[in-house]
Amino acid sequence: MSTTEETPENPVDEMPASTAFFDEGASKRSMLKEKKSTADLDEPIDDDDQAFPDKKFNIWERESMHVARNPCTYFWASFIISILLGVIGMIFGDFAVSVDNAGWQSRGTTIADRHTQFLLIQEFRQELWRDNEADEVWSDLIENVQDGWETDDDSSRRLMEPVEMEPIGDITTLGHRLQRGLQMQPMEAMRESYGLEVMPPALNEDQVRRLLTINATEGTLLEGCDTSWYTSRSMYQDSRLWPVWRTKSEGESFFNSDLLQELCEEEQVTQAKLEENGWCQTCSDGKTCLQPYSAVFYARLSVTDGMSLSCEQLASAWTDEGYEASHATSSFFSECVEDLNKNYNFDRDGTDLPESCPEGFFPSMVDEFYPAPNDYVQFSSSIFASSSEYSIIEEMYDEVGGFGQGKRNINGAYDTQHEDFVELSLDNQLLIDMSLAVGSAFMTCIAMMFHTKSPFLTVVGLAQIVLSFPLAFFFYTFVTRMEFFPFLNFIGIFVLFALGADDVFVAVDKWKNARLKYPKATTEEIASVAMPDAAMAMLLTTLTTAVAFFGTAVCPVSPIRCFAVFVGLMVIFDYLMCILLVFPALCIYDRADRTNRCCCHWEFTKYFRCCCKNKAEEDQSDDQVSNSRVNFDKSGELSTGGVSTASTKHYDSLIHRILKTFFYYLQLLKWPLLLICAGSLVWCAVKASQIELPVSSDVRLYDESDNQFEQNFVWRKKLLYKALEAKSGSKGFVIWGVKPADTGNLNNPEEWSQLVLDDSFKPSKREVQEYLRDYCDRYFNQDFAELVEENYVCPINAFDSWLQEESASNEPSEIYNTYCGGATGLPMSEENFDLCMYHWGQEKSALTVLARQDKITTMYFEFNSRVRYDSPFNDLADEWKLIDDWMKNDDAPEGANRAFFTSEDFWWYDTNSAMLDTAFQSAGIAMGAAAAVILFSSRSFVLTIFATVTVGYVLTSVMAMLVGIGWTLGFLESILFAILIGISCDFVIHFAHAYTTLHGHASREERTLHALLSMGPSILAAGFTTFSAALIMLFTVITFFEKFAIVLFLTVLQSLAGSFIVFLTMAVSLGPSDPTYLVDHMLAKCCPMICKKDFDIQGDEATEHFNTENNTENNKKVLDEEEEIAQ
């Protein structure tokens, strides 16, 4: 049988001139006599024994051969050093994970810097108020960076005790409560830090106390109970068990007797659980708990002897006394609800409900839109007198399944009003969801075992991925000096397994292809071919992916920035570990496979097989191998250069046959596909541009269907009191005396800032006094500002009124006589202003006016803004611009022209805005990096354009699909979009790089098929691994992980479609036959002394290859000569 007939049709062997510089050496090697026995294969070989004696190896090829000579030394040295560095990093770097939600605010932006300085004044105002002369607190704040205001202890998870309001003459200042940190509803917590009422007001005290006194008699449910709880702020400010109820049928109402009875019965189930465990505020007997306030409580207050009736009796009395009929129409509450919607403001009006509201009415009893459009009440709630101690809240969370959940007509969802159950659930669920990373590792292990068919290479590949984590942490801690390690960094494990497996697949496939191409080559020679090629291919994707993650570090939110830096480092170290571990392992594996030693590998059809080869069997197989060429006949069909497909079937793998078939149809339908790709790109771009911003800036980490705690939040927003709370707006502040700044470590939430004073603030100047005196009136005349309460007066105006009163008094105070110089109002003498106002502030406890060394240093006042953190994003943006423009255009005199306004709600808006900007900026950085890498590696403008278009298609198509499923570009989506941009570049870069590896001139069809067959299996394997990780993450519960899985799945899907269809269609239709020609010519002209030699060599190869391709007879003659030599 002729050699030509037995030549295997191996996909790598079919590439024309794919390794042109080896063809001559390979022909000569076939004429050389073997001088070494099989046992000598492990020894260094002389040039006379090499497969490529005439080739001049470059430095990378020589280093690869050097590794192949001593693979065990390199492997174990790299492994041990990596272990040591990782252990040092984890131990001496004090590895710890921040499980709380600290740091989820922007830092370093204008809005963030403003609020940072205000928070310093706000938190330390009592100490600063007393520190005028000692100057210790002032000096400490100015000279030292303060500790972060966020804590991770239990106290940060619950509402702090309220601080009583401090009187200042006729004005009051709300007490301060330390910020408890951004948690699941960040701005709620921040509102609490200023002592603001975030819950409904207390009941009408006079009316309710009268009713409760009557009912607190012997034999009633309130016998011996302290009913003052119902009229205290503690009822709604402290964390209480606060379930929300919903009717199962839309037409039912909680004021119907049957639903009222069922609600009463379910409350009794919960009440019994609280009393059994001592989780509630008890009456005099020490056992009975105070009754929860709800529609049932309202009914007991309404009917005769309601506090002594059972649930069934209460329902009957409700009907018999006519209450059911009266409450069945909207007229009963309509006037009350109308007045609440029209005139009521929680922060301003406090406990003063409109007179039209009936006795005992509470806004939490009815729906947001009640009485329109229907008369029925579908949502209601119950406030239990449960303990607010966090340890008891944890116990209640563990036993929440034993509470009454509803049966026939209603459903209940439990939590506290501060979402303590959500937070506890998230703490547990985070660990459960992150444990699925183990499942991701398992799927990666299976994929690598299937692809490499070697347990040894699979274990080494997993070691490469695992060791990347501690090595990245070592660099992260000791080189970048980043101390904060957020829990978000662990999401990088999912990314790392996908990218790490990709590197392993590329390395193994490059080695396999080189071994199949040159079966008689030594391990060193194969290393010189495979290692530099694989290292370059992996380097390109590593660079683009790492740059994409590092580009996300522009985000001013510290957990995102830390995540971006850490994952970028993991990507780099994964690449390095692949070079240092996987390549030596391949050399070890190849040597074992080439000798008489046994090797074990996985067979698709035979499960697991151990086999032993000898040199004679191997040489007999090698002698059947010769180079073949891929050609296309006149009909466009794929031909194998005259090689019999029957004789090569044994060497042609299933995946390569599938890829060849795919290429045949791709080449056959390239022009229709090109039009379809162009149309798809345009459609995706148009559709992606339609993505909307969220209607709310609120961030939720659970889906409503996942658990009842999130249901509680969603249903709570349906209640009237939440709607009224939202309409009340938020608290804002205007401050003088400080500069916007953040001098701390922006990457570490545990480190805050120094206080930066504005030395230009001179309130004592007469023109400044006049300006400040008139400022509040002008400010509150604007639509964007309202009084925080009915009688609120700005501090400077309160001081002016005091001066007028004292000057008109027959017996002025000692402070006025001593320090004020007989001033009758503002403006007053500049010499007396500071001391007079300081002592006035001391007498009136005016904590909003602070002095240092007898000089008024800072001053601020409060206002009520129309927007909240959960207002639509565009509303927040417009309101911010409106206020900022007004203040900039205000004609302030020198000495008071650096005032600024701030609000925690606007800080949250700034955080969302920063995330949106990061998504687009990182996308631009990733695409720019991908374009630069492709241009550098391919030296082809055309391929760079093709690859950039493909990456653009991936991003726009994913965005279009997200629009199709109803997503908006909110906080979480922006994070995910920024994270996954880097992944979208990898596959197309592999194809672009492989397209250029054929030297000189080759047809676009040959280059495209070469790229497809050489990189297709690796890309498909990497895609399968990433798909597997995404599928596992779909089982997570936390919304962030679930959305991450969806976006990861769609990104990989569109990356595969973009690289296999969009890029390859453009390449086979319009790709250059000599992609580096233009750039090489340009380089030769720009730097001839450097580039001329290399350019001439490539030009000669191109000319020779071109002439060979256009002379089929000469081509056949060359093949025949090679066959004769081989025989």
Side-chain angles (χ1 to χ4, degrees), residues 814-855:
E814 182 179 354
I815 292 176
Y816 177 80
N817 291 330
T818 305
Y819 301 106
C820 300
T824 59
L826 296 178
M828 62 182 294
S829 169
E830 295 185 14
E831 292 78 11
N832 296 326
F833 176 85
D834 289 300
L835 279 175
C836 180
M837 191 170 190
Y838 163 68
H839 286 283
W840 165 83
Q842 293 290 304
E843 182 182 88
K844 302 298 182 181
S845 299
L847 300 186
T848 58
V849 179
L850 301 175
R852 183 189 185 197
Q853 298 292 307
D854 295 333
K855 296 291 184 182

Short mmCIF file of all heavy atoms in Angstrom, two decimals, residues 814-855:
data_model
loop_
_atom_site.label_atom_id
_atom_site.label_comp_id
_atom_site.label_asym_id
_atom_site.label_seq_id
_atom_site.Cartn_x
_atom_site.Cartn_y
_atom_site.Cartn_z
N GLU A 814 -27.57 87.00 80.96
CA GLU A 814 -26.16 87.30 81.22
C GLU A 814 -25.30 87.10 79.97
O GLU A 814 -24.36 87.86 79.73
CB GLU A 814 -25.66 86.41 82.35
CG GLU A 814 -24.21 86.67 82.73
CD GLU A 814 -23.74 85.79 83.87
OE1 GLU A 814 -24.58 85.07 84.44
OE2 GLU A 814 -22.54 85.82 84.18
N ILE A 815 -25.65 86.09 79.19
CA ILE A 815 -24.90 85.84 77.95
C ILE A 815 -25.01 87.03 77.02
O ILE A 815 -24.01 87.49 76.44
CB ILE A 815 -25.43 84.56 77.27
CG1 ILE A 815 -25.09 83.34 78.10
CG2 ILE A 815 -24.86 84.42 75.85
CD1 ILE A 815 -25.65 82.05 77.54
N TYR A 816 -26.23 87.56 76.90
CA TYR A 816 -26.43 88.70 76.00
C TYR A 816 -25.64 89.91 76.49
O TYR A 816 -24.97 90.60 75.71
CB TYR A 816 -27.91 89.01 75.93
CG TYR A 816 -28.23 90.22 75.07
CD1 TYR A 816 -28.27 90.13 73.69
CD2 TYR A 816 -28.46 91.46 75.67
CE1 TYR A 816 -28.56 91.23 72.91
CE2 TYR A 816 -28.74 92.58 74.91
CZ TYR A 816 -28.79 92.46 73.51
OH TYR A 816 -29.06 93.56 72.74
N ASN A 817 -25.69 90.17 77.77
CA ASN A 817 -25.00 91.34 78.31
C ASN A 817 -23.49 91.20 78.20
O ASN A 817 -22.77 92.19 78.00
CB ASN A 817 -25.39 91.56 79.77
CG ASN A 817 -26.83 92.02 79.90
OD1 ASN A 817 -27.36 92.68 79.02
ND2 ASN A 817 -27.48 91.65 81.02
N THR A 818 -22.99 89.97 78.33
CA THR A 818 -21.54 89.76 78.37
C THR A 818 -20.90 89.71 76.99
O THR A 818 -19.82 90.27 76.77
CB THR A 818 -21.21 88.46 79.13
OG1 THR A 818 -21.81 88.51 80.42
CG2 THR A 818 -19.71 88.29 79.27
N TYR A 819 -21.58 89.07 76.05
CA TYR A 819 -20.91 88.76 74.78
C TYR A 819 -21.51 89.43 73.55
O TYR A 819 -20.86 89.43 72.50
CB TYR A 819 -20.95 87.24 74.54
CG TYR A 819 -20.28 86.44 75.63
CD1 TYR A 819 -21.03 85.72 76.55
CD2 TYR A 819 -18.89 86.40 75.74
CE1 TYR A 819 -20.43 84.99 77.56
CE2 TYR A 819 -18.27 85.67 76.75
CZ TYR A 819 -19.05 84.96 77.66
OH TYR A 819 -18.45 84.23 78.65
N CYS A 820 -22.69 90.00 73.62
CA CYS A 820 -23.38 90.43 72.40
C CYS A 820 -23.30 91.92 72.13
O CYS A 820 -23.79 92.38 71.08
CB CYS A 820 -24.84 89.98 72.45
SG CYS A 820 -25.01 88.18 72.57
N GLY A 821 -22.76 92.71 73.04
CA GLY A 821 -22.52 94.12 72.76
C GLY A 821 -23.77 94.91 72.46
O GLY A 821 -23.73 95.88 71.69
N GLY A 822 -24.91 94.51 73.02
CA GLY A 822 -26.14 95.26 72.83
C GLY A 822 -26.74 95.15 71.45
O GLY A 822 -27.53 96.02 71.05
N ALA A 823 -26.42 94.09 70.70
CA ALA A 823 -26.95 93.92 69.34
C ALA A 823 -28.46 93.76 69.38
O ALA A 823 -29.01 93.08 70.25
CB ALA A 823 -26.31 92.72 68.67
N THR A 824 -29.12 94.40 68.42
CA THR A 824 -30.59 94.30 68.33
C THR A 824 -31.03 93.31 67.27
O THR A 824 -32.23 93.16 67.03
CB THR A 824 -31.18 95.69 68.02
OG1 THR A 824 -30.63 96.15 66.77
CG2 THR A 824 -30.86 96.68 69.13
N GLY A 825 -30.11 92.68 66.64
CA GLY A 825 -30.41 91.71 65.58
C GLY A 825 -29.25 91.64 64.61
O GLY A 825 -28.20 92.25 64.82
N LEU A 826 -29.42 90.87 63.58
CA LEU A 826 -28.38 90.73 62.55
C LEU A 826 -28.62 91.73 61.43
O LEU A 826 -29.78 91.96 61.04
CB LEU A 826 -28.38 89.30 61.99
CG LEU A 826 -28.03 88.18 62.98
CD1 LEU A 826 -28.11 86.82 62.29
CD2 LEU A 826 -26.66 88.39 63.60
N PRO A 827 -27.54 92.35 60.92
CA PRO A 827 -26.14 92.11 61.29
C PRO A 827 -25.76 92.81 62.58
O PRO A 827 -26.33 93.82 62.95
CB PRO A 827 -25.37 92.68 60.10
CG PRO A 827 -26.25 93.78 59.59
CD PRO A 827 -27.67 93.30 59.79
N MET A 828 -24.76 92.26 63.26
CA MET A 828 -24.26 92.82 64.49
C MET A 828 -22.75 93.08 64.34
O MET A 828 -22.17 92.83 63.28
CB MET A 828 -24.51 91.85 65.65
CG MET A 828 -23.82 90.51 65.51
SD MET A 828 -24.17 89.37 66.87
CE MET A 828 -23.38 90.22 68.24
N SER A 829 -22.15 93.54 65.39
CA SER A 829 -20.72 93.84 65.36
C SER A 829 -19.91 92.59 65.04
O SER A 829 -20.15 91.52 65.61
CB SER A 829 -20.28 94.40 66.72
OG SER A 829 -18.88 94.45 66.82
N GLU A 830 -18.97 92.71 64.12
CA GLU A 830 -18.14 91.56 63.74
C GLU A 830 -17.32 91.06 64.91
O GLU A 830 -17.06 89.85 65.03
CB GLU A 830 -17.22 91.94 62.57
CG GLU A 830 -17.96 92.27 61.28
CD GLU A 830 -17.01 92.53 60.11
OE1 GLU A 830 -15.80 92.20 60.25
OE2 GLU A 830 -17.46 93.05 59.08
N GLU A 831 -16.88 91.98 65.78
CA GLU A 831 -16.06 91.58 66.92
C GLU A 831 -16.84 90.72 67.92
O GLU A 831 -16.28 89.86 68.60
CB GLU A 831 -15.50 92.81 67.65
CG GLU A 831 -14.48 93.60 66.85
CD GLU A 831 -15.14 94.48 65.79
OE1 GLU A 831 -16.40 94.61 65.83
OE2 GLU A 831 -14.43 95.01 64.93
N ASN A 832 -18.13 90.95 68.02
CA ASN A 832 -18.94 90.25 69.01
C ASN A 832 -19.67 89.03 68.45
O ASN A 832 -20.20 88.22 69.23
CB ASN A 832 -19.99 91.20 69.60
CG ASN A 832 -19.34 92.35 70.37
OD1 ASN A 832 -18.30 92.17 71.00
ND2 ASN A 832 -19.95 93.52 70.31
N PHE A 833 -19.72 88.89 67.14
CA PHE A 833 -20.58 87.87 66.54
C PHE A 833 -20.22 86.46 67.00
O PHE A 833 -21.09 85.70 67.44
CB PHE A 833 -20.50 87.96 65.00
CG PHE A 833 -21.28 86.87 64.31
CD1 PHE A 833 -22.63 87.01 64.07
CD2 PHE A 833 -20.66 85.69 63.90
CE1 PHE A 833 -23.36 86.01 63.43
CE2 PHE A 833 -21.38 84.68 63.27
CZ PHE A 833 -22.74 84.85 63.05
N ASP A 834 -18.97 86.07 66.87
CA ASP A 834 -18.59 84.68 67.15
C ASP A 834 -18.86 84.28 68.58
O ASP A 834 -19.48 83.24 68.84
CB ASP A 834 -17.10 84.48 66.82
CG ASP A 834 -16.83 84.50 65.33
OD1 ASP A 834 -17.40 83.65 64.62
OD2 ASP A 834 -16.08 85.37 64.86
N LEU A 835 -18.41 85.10 69.54
CA LEU A 835 -18.61 84.76 70.95
C LEU A 835 -20.09 84.76 71.32
O LEU A 835 -20.55 83.89 72.08
CB LEU A 835 -17.84 85.73 71.84
CG LEU A 835 -16.34 85.44 72.01
CD1 LEU A 835 -15.68 86.54 72.82
CD2 LEU A 835 -16.13 84.09 72.67
N CYS A 836 -20.81 85.72 70.78
CA CYS A 836 -22.24 85.82 71.11
C CYS A 836 -22.99 84.60 70.58
O CYS A 836 -23.76 83.98 71.32
CB CYS A 836 -22.82 87.10 70.52
SG CYS A 836 -24.59 87.33 70.87
N MET A 837 -22.75 84.24 69.34
CA MET A 837 -23.48 83.10 68.77
C MET A 837 -23.02 81.79 69.40
O MET A 837 -23.83 80.87 69.61
CB MET A 837 -23.29 83.05 67.26
CG MET A 837 -24.22 82.06 66.58
SD MET A 837 -24.22 82.16 64.79
CE MET A 837 -25.61 81.08 64.42
N TYR A 838 -21.74 81.68 69.72
CA TYR A 838 -21.26 80.45 70.35
C TYR A 838 -21.95 80.23 71.69
O TYR A 838 -22.46 79.14 71.98
CB TYR A 838 -19.75 80.51 70.54
CG TYR A 838 -19.23 79.50 71.53
CD1 TYR A 838 -19.26 78.14 71.25
CD2 TYR A 838 -18.73 79.91 72.77
CE1 TYR A 838 -18.82 77.20 72.18
CE2 TYR A 838 -18.28 78.98 73.70
CZ TYR A 838 -18.33 77.63 73.40
OH TYR A 838 -17.89 76.71 74.31
N HIS A 839 -21.99 81.25 72.54
CA HIS A 839 -22.60 81.08 73.87
C HIS A 839 -24.11 80.92 73.75
O HIS A 839 -24.72 80.23 74.58
CB HIS A 839 -22.22 82.27 74.76
CG HIS A 839 -20.80 82.22 75.23
ND1 HIS A 839 -20.38 81.40 76.24
CD2 HIS A 839 -19.69 82.90 74.80
CE1 HIS A 839 -19.08 81.56 76.44
NE2 HIS A 839 -18.63 82.46 75.57
N TRP A 840 -24.73 81.55 72.76
CA TRP A 840 -26.15 81.28 72.52
C TRP A 840 -26.37 79.80 72.18
O TRP A 840 -27.28 79.17 72.70
CB TRP A 840 -26.65 82.15 71.36
CG TRP A 840 -27.97 81.70 70.81
CD1 TRP A 840 -29.20 81.98 71.32
CD2 TRP A 840 -28.19 80.85 69.67
NE1 TRP A 840 -30.18 81.39 70.56
CE2 TRP A 840 -29.59 80.69 69.54
CE3 TRP A 840 -27.36 80.24 68.75
CZ2 TRP A 840 -30.16 79.92 68.53
CZ3 TRP A 840 -27.91 79.48 67.74
CH2 TRP A 840 -29.29 79.32 67.63
N GLY A 841 -25.50 79.27 71.34
CA GLY A 841 -25.62 77.86 70.98
C GLY A 841 -25.41 76.94 72.15
O GLY A 841 -26.07 75.90 72.27
N GLN A 842 -24.50 77.30 73.06
CA GLN A 842 -24.29 76.49 74.25
C GLN A 842 -25.52 76.51 75.16
O GLN A 842 -25.90 75.48 75.73
CB GLN A 842 -23.07 77.02 75.02
CG GLN A 842 -21.75 76.81 74.30
CD GLN A 842 -21.35 75.34 74.25
OE1 GLN A 842 -21.26 74.69 75.27
NE2 GLN A 842 -21.12 74.83 73.05
N GLU A 843 -26.14 77.66 75.28
CA GLU A 843 -27.32 77.78 76.14
C GLU A 843 -28.52 77.05 75.57
O GLU A 843 -29.28 76.41 76.30
CB GLU A 843 -27.67 79.25 76.34
CG GLU A 843 -28.86 79.46 77.27
CD GLU A 843 -29.22 80.94 77.41
OE1 GLU A 843 -30.02 81.42 76.58
OE2 GLU A 843 -28.69 81.59 78.32
N LYS A 844 -28.67 77.09 74.24
CA LYS A 844 -29.84 76.51 73.59
C LYS A 844 -29.58 75.10 73.04
O LYS A 844 -30.46 74.53 72.39
CB LYS A 844 -30.30 77.41 72.44
CG LYS A 844 -30.64 78.83 72.86
CD LYS A 844 -31.80 78.86 73.84
CE LYS A 844 -32.18 80.28 74.21
NZ LYS A 844 -33.30 80.33 75.18
N SER A 845 -28.40 74.57 73.30
CA SER A 845 -28.03 73.23 72.78
C SER A 845 -28.17 73.17 71.25
O SER A 845 -28.72 72.21 70.69
CB SER A 845 -28.89 72.14 73.43
OG SER A 845 -28.70 72.12 74.81
N ALA A 846 -27.70 74.19 70.60
CA ALA A 846 -27.78 74.26 69.14
C ALA A 846 -26.59 73.51 68.54
O ALA A 846 -25.54 74.08 68.26
CB ALA A 846 -27.77 75.72 68.68
N LEU A 847 -26.77 72.22 68.32
CA LEU A 847 -25.67 71.39 67.83
C LEU A 847 -25.38 71.59 66.35
O LEU A 847 -24.41 71.02 65.83
CB LEU A 847 -25.99 69.92 68.09
CG LEU A 847 -26.21 69.52 69.55
CD1 LEU A 847 -26.38 68.02 69.67
CD2 LEU A 847 -25.06 70.00 70.42
N THR A 848 -26.20 72.36 65.68
CA THR A 848 -25.95 72.61 64.25
C THR A 848 -25.03 73.80 64.05
O THR A 848 -24.69 74.11 62.91
CB THR A 848 -27.27 72.84 63.51
OG1 THR A 848 -27.96 73.95 64.11
CG2 THR A 848 -28.14 71.60 63.56
N VAL A 849 -24.66 74.48 65.13
CA VAL A 849 -23.70 75.60 65.07
C VAL A 849 -22.51 75.22 65.94
O VAL A 849 -22.65 75.06 67.16
CB VAL A 849 -24.34 76.92 65.55
CG1 VAL A 849 -23.32 78.04 65.50
CG2 VAL A 849 -25.56 77.25 64.71
N LEU A 850 -21.34 75.04 65.33
CA LEU A 850 -20.17 74.55 66.04
C LEU A 850 -19.04 75.58 65.95
O LEU A 850 -18.81 76.18 64.89
CB LEU A 850 -19.70 73.22 65.46
CG LEU A 850 -20.74 72.09 65.49
CD1 LEU A 850 -20.20 70.86 64.79
CD2 LEU A 850 -21.15 71.76 66.92
N ALA A 851 -18.34 75.76 67.08
CA ALA A 851 -17.27 76.74 67.15
C ALA A 851 -15.97 76.07 67.55
O ALA A 851 -15.96 75.06 68.27
CB ALA A 851 -17.62 77.85 68.15
N ARG A 852 -14.89 76.66 67.10
CA ARG A 852 -13.54 76.21 67.46
C ARG A 852 -12.71 77.42 67.86
O ARG A 852 -12.57 78.37 67.09
CB ARG A 852 -12.88 75.49 66.29
CG ARG A 852 -11.51 74.93 66.62
CD ARG A 852 -10.80 74.41 65.39
NE ARG A 852 -9.54 73.77 65.73
CZ ARG A 852 -8.56 73.51 64.86
NH1 ARG A 852 -8.71 73.83 63.57
NH2 ARG A 852 -7.45 72.92 65.27
N GLN A 853 -12.17 77.37 69.06
CA GLN A 853 -11.38 78.48 69.57
C GLN A 853 -12.15 79.80 69.47
O GLN A 853 -11.65 80.82 68.99
CB GLN A 853 -10.06 78.58 68.79
CG GLN A 853 -9.16 77.36 68.92
CD GLN A 853 -8.61 77.18 70.33
OE1 GLN A 853 -8.02 78.09 70.90
NE2 GLN A 853 -8.83 76.01 70.89
N ASP A 854 -13.42 79.75 69.92
CA ASP A 854 -14.29 80.93 69.98
C ASP A 854 -14.62 81.51 68.60
O ASP A 854 -15.04 82.68 68.51
CB ASP A 854 -13.66 82.03 70.85
CG ASP A 854 -13.54 81.62 72.30
OD1 ASP A 854 -14.35 80.77 72.74
OD2 ASP A 854 -12.64 82.13 73.00
N LYS A 855 -14.47 80.73 67.55
CA LYS A 855 -14.83 81.16 66.21
C LYS A 855 -15.86 80.18 65.63
O LYS A 855 -15.65 78.96 65.67
CB LYS A 855 -13.61 81.20 65.30
CG LYS A 855 -12.55 82.22 65.70
CD LYS A 855 -13.04 83.65 65.49
CE LYS A 855 -11.95 84.67 65.81
NZ LYS A 855 -12.44 86.06 65.66
#
